[in-house]
Amino acid sequence: MSKKIDVGVLGATGMVGQQFIARLANHPWFNVCWLAASERSEGKPYADAAPWRLATPMPDSVRSKTVEACEPRRGPAVVFSALDAKAADVLEAEFAAAGHVVLSNARTFRMDPLVPLLIPEVNADHLDLLSEQKSAKGWKGAVVTNPNCATIVLAMALAPLRQFGINKVSVTTMQAVSGAGYPGVASLDILGNIIPFIGGGEEEKIETETLKILGTDGGRSRLNAVISAQVNRVPVIDGHSMTVSVDLLTVPSVDEVVNAMRTFSGRPQVLKLPTAPVPPIVVMSQENRPQPRLDAGLGDGMTTSVGRVRVCPVLTHKFVALSHNTIRGAAGASILNAELMKAEGFFN
Amino acid sequence: MSKKIDVGVLGATGMVGQQFIARLANHPWFNVCWLAASERSEGKPYADAAPWRLATPMPDSVRSKTVEACEPRRGPAVVFSALDAKAADVLEAEFAAAGHVVLSNARTFRMDPLVPLLIPEVNADHLDLLSEQKSAKGWKGAVVTNPNCATIVLAMALAPLRQFGINKVSVTTMQAVSGAGYPGVASLDILGNIIPFIGGGEEEKIETETLKILGTDGGRSRLNAVISAQVNRVPVIDGHSMTVSVDLLTVPSVDEVVNAMRTFSGRPQVLKLPTAPVPPIVVMSQENRPQPRLDAGLGDGMTTSVGRVRVCPVLTHKFVALSHNTIRGAAGASILNAELMKAEGFFN
Amino acid sequence: MSKKIDVGVLGATGMVGQQFIARLANHPWFNVCWLAASERSEGKPYADAAPWRLATPMPDSVRSKTVEACEPRRGPAVVFSALDAKAADVLEAEFAAAGHVVLSNARTFRMDPLVPLLIPEVNADHLDLLSEQKSAKGWKGAVVTNPNCATIVLAMALAPLRQFGINKVSVTTMQAVSGAGYPGVASLDILGNIIPFIGGGEEEKIETETLKILGTDGGRSRLNAVISAQVNRVPVIDGHSMTVSVDLLTVPSVDEVVNAMRTFSGRPQVLKLPTAPVPPIVVMSQENRPQPRLDAGLGDGMTTSVGRVRVCPVLTHKFVALSHNTIRGAAGASILNAELMKAEGFFN
Amino acid sequence: MSKKIDVGVLGATGMVGQQFIARLANHPWFNVCWLAASERSEGKPYADAAPWRLATPMPDSVRSKTVEACEPRRGPAVVFSALDAKAADVLEAEFAAAGHVVLSNARTFRMDPLVPLLIPEVNADHLDLLSEQKSAKGWKGAVVTNPNCATIVLAMALAPLRQFGINKVSVTTMQAVSGAGYPGVASLDILGNIIPFIGGGEEEKIETETLKILGTDGGRSRLNAVISAQVNRVPVIDGHSMTVSVDLLTVPSVDEVVNAMRTFSGRPQVLKLPTAPVPPIVVMSQENRPQPRLDAGLGDGMTTSVGRVRVCPVLTHKFVALSHNTIRGAAGASILNAELMKAEGFFN
């Protein structure tokens, strides 16, 4: 690729915005040239506007960049949206209407039947929705979304099992505090504690988004399965763990399930996208893995780890799954979506 | 009661032994007169022999008591066993044979068809096994056990649901580090982390013990249900949480389930046993409860807390349950067993 | 005492207000009859107005009490102030002017030369300021304050050393998250981390309040010593620990220092005040104590624990000190102040 | 450099051994060709012998390497010692005697007057001891040590201040659990807790090693200063923090102190050693930094972070310092020592 593609970040000063900037800093294809945020930050150098909270230092390339307002047509054609839901509700459609390709981490359009809820390894063909999206919405650009940070763990782990007929899924999540943004969860609430609830409809998101992602016809035909989610917040910094029980219609052997996961691959691996994990799913053989602190960072945070695959006496199989929630579950997901769109010719 | 009953503690210097001593310090019925431990501690004052690790100070009444060897016939008729499994394998039968009533927290005899695996609110009638135990084993005394610290949470929460026909149960536990004893879990393994595995057959214990407890004929006729357990160790000090999905044959309404739990009661409440929680199960109405740090101590650690009772799309109902693992799940459980036996006339 | 004294709580719905209510629930002398808070809560039953966050359940006696506005003359003569600094700045003087005795946990009047900054064991005679306070301020009532939650640990530990001539003090604190209120410290900031800073002038408070408390003439003549404080926030729920180095002019032996601490006592112990810890300072002999999780609760949270008293090669002595920050350092401190005032006849 | 230098690791299967292997995996100068451990591991492939506990996966290059016995003359000329103290007491001298250059993380020889206690930025000239070491000990090889993991933070931060005349130092450390090895600190002891003590003479090590490091004549002439250390274990995974108060004879301004630290540099930076941090000390300007979770990884774990430099009313200056204890404080320190020795021609 001779020249990098200019990209912008909407909501650049928040936690997710910072993660976009950190992950894009040395990206081989994309160049962050435009940082947009709320009025409060407008006109300030990024280093002054953003209360940087990541363990990796702020990239020098953005320190002195002036933060601009989140207005369409001012930035480049491709923008990553780290907007919170309220801002995204208004702005993402405006950007798409004005011709921008919006790669969104917000929930606003995730369940819109004309908007791909994309995991490149799982449902790359959902991008086919975009032509209809364009005409139906009258947008010159497009919106493509990535799933909720817990959904993506489950959808990745289930994707290889579609061949066995997924009938029922029961999942209990143990979600890291970084999934709640900043300031997010109060330390008094979570130090040495478990909170068996996450607001904002977390369980419903997991139950519905997963069926769209694993569905056909761009997700308009949902996977014909039933999912039950029980969520917990746990005192972990990064990495959403979950125990999964699944009822598979063809009742494969445990070895067949493990093999399906281990050999699973998709368009990102075929196209050798820059941040595609190889393989996308690692099935660990140790009996006490995966663990968030040790394994969330695998594949630079893009790998989904699975362990303890075994027979379930209630449904047919059970296992543990884990992904890095702010990488595979947020900024990294959107960036892989952008890589896929670029490689498939949706922009250049 | 005019005079307290003398009791002893086997394995008095370990973590569970310390919990027995702390809980028995001001007990209205029992008086700890005999402390027994391994040879290493024999002959020492308790204050020197026991590396006290509880947040409540060591009771003055035991500080200068001399620790004796774990030999039958030297201590009182009633002994609590805080022995580890290996020591219990040998010693508990010796004590029972010699005429002691052994209230055991060890796993040795839990699944023995002639030994009650007792939760006084749930299966007080399992004490009927004792006459047959005596004759079949040739013991002058008896052994009565309490369940594994995670099992008891599940069995307590399920007990009120027996009337609806328990068919299937899927449970994911999040277990506190105090459940692993001392030194137990290394801090490097669990700080900011989740370990999706607990050794020693924890999942099997939950799956099998629960069916015995909820069974009939002293547990020899197991509950006709299927249980699947997935266990996790979490960075919590005290309190085992669990998400539970259950398939109830008569498909009661959520209100009926809640009502069954709230009105559940048993022999300890009827007999007004000194440490019986009233009520034994609290169903919390807040959407984010129960939480171990806030709720494990309810009822002086003897209450089981339940929350988020709702419909499950995969099985029929789901909820969250919690108990204090070192109290309701260990020392407190054995003490309540002893109170029941005393009140029912098994010793005096 | 024939009849309990009615008391009120200003700022009753916040974290400190909840602690007052929890600690006063079964107080032998005081009866909480009046709960006052901001307009947002006015008119609501306390159970609805207060987002209860303590591990001990809300006392039944306050559940249905109606929260009233923080207006003078509506409540009883004695009020505890759990107001935040901004509200306290305005309201406490109004209550005092109107004739109420205000026992305040806020910082507003702590350094006022006419207001006692009271630790009953340490400077009970500072109550002598009240007559001058009354005349100079024109108040019919009075304001008495307790120190910052870290100050009190240091002041308690230093009080027995006044006899040796305190010349210099260097202290490094490790402060629990409960000291920051709710929501307080974000979990993302403190899980598995140390923050070497606490806002609001924490270090200055420790350095200046301590000199007033240990001073004479009601604190108007400050202790002639130099204090240097370095503060840290640590992932601990309750209990402020600190390492202290002190330069004592008469250079006592370590045994003399330990003995001075162990025999230290004050008016609360003489008067046998209901919540007075006996002794006020415990010097632990184990080399790895005091520890917040094990020792903050000593004396029902009112004891100051000290350990590792030894020679310091830079100053003369060094040791570790610990108190419970929300009890001895907040609500419990104000209540002990009230007990002293009652016993000394300042109100009845 | 045309060809990499073969190196070995003694104690390769333990935690420090694993850190050596992880840090050496892609080292531009060194090639790990020999893994030695205790008899228990001898003959096994490394992947089977080592219970890998790092968050970075085990390098493929060592997985199938056979672990050999810790015997001199079997491995390459240069060996890193991750031996525990007991094994090091015997083996390191044997390896040195046999001609190996031993770069040791063990405490055995740290205070030996003929053995450099080396921090390349601070006392590179202490390598001059080696000729005398050779003759006096009759070793064909040599032993070079790195400091205790807390000492190195203090020594690095003090090194730039030597020019101002270091007179007195008072330091309180807050040390991560990874500093205690594996299993190290029990989770029951440290979750939500602070332990104000670390065994093995930690305070003495800090007080004495620092004076040798900052001394002259290879450390045989100690720095003429007094150091007082108070240590704490805190629930942090990686990164030792400390508050430091220092008495500087020339009483420089705060700006002069900051400037001295910021411009500090040494032989590793001059020689552009592969893992030399540039600059070695970062002075952070934010009032709440450095923090272990955010800053321990700076400079790939080799940077020392300093913050909050200010006047101390008791001594002359105070500040906060932080380094990564298992990198700058252990494996990374030894590797930088090796790089310096290679660059200075001590081996090739």
Side-chain angles (χ1 to χ4, degrees), chain B residues 15 53 177-178 181-192 234-238, chain D residues 15 53 177-178 181-192 234-238:
Chain B
M15 278 298 276
R53 298 185 198 285
V177 296
S178 60
Y182 188 88
V185 185
S187 53
L188 261 180
D189 284 337
I190 199 67
L191 264 174
V234 295
V236 164
I237 291 289
D238 289 317
Chain D
M15 279 297 276
R53 298 186 200 282
V177 296
S178 61
Y182 188 88
V185 185
S187 55
L188 261 181
D189 284 338
I190 198 67
L191 263 175
V234 294
V236 164
I237 292 290
D238 290 316

Side-chain angles (χ1 to χ4, degrees), chain A residues 17-98:
Chain A
Q18 293 177 25
Q19 285 151 356
F20 271 114
I21 285 166
R23 303 276 305 172
L24 289 166
N26 298 301
H27 197 280
W29 291 3
F30 304 131
N31 170 51
V32 176
C33 73
W34 191 62
L35 303 175
S38 65
E39 290 175 13
R40 199 162 32 94
S41 300
E42 199 185 339
K44 293 185 191 165
Y46 185 73
D48 294 352
W52 193 260
R53 296 185 200 283
L54 306 188
T56 49
M58 184 185 291
D60 287 334
S61 56
V62 299
R63 297 194 71 85
S64 57
K65 263 196 178 43
T66 303
V67 177
E68 300 195 15
C70 278
E71 291 172 15
R73 291 185 203 87
R74 298 183 57 168
V78 176
V79 294
F80 292 97
S81 168
L83 296 168
D84 59 32
K86 198 187 281 187
D89 284 351
V90 176
L91 292 171
E92 293 189 352
E94 289 181 20
F95 273 80

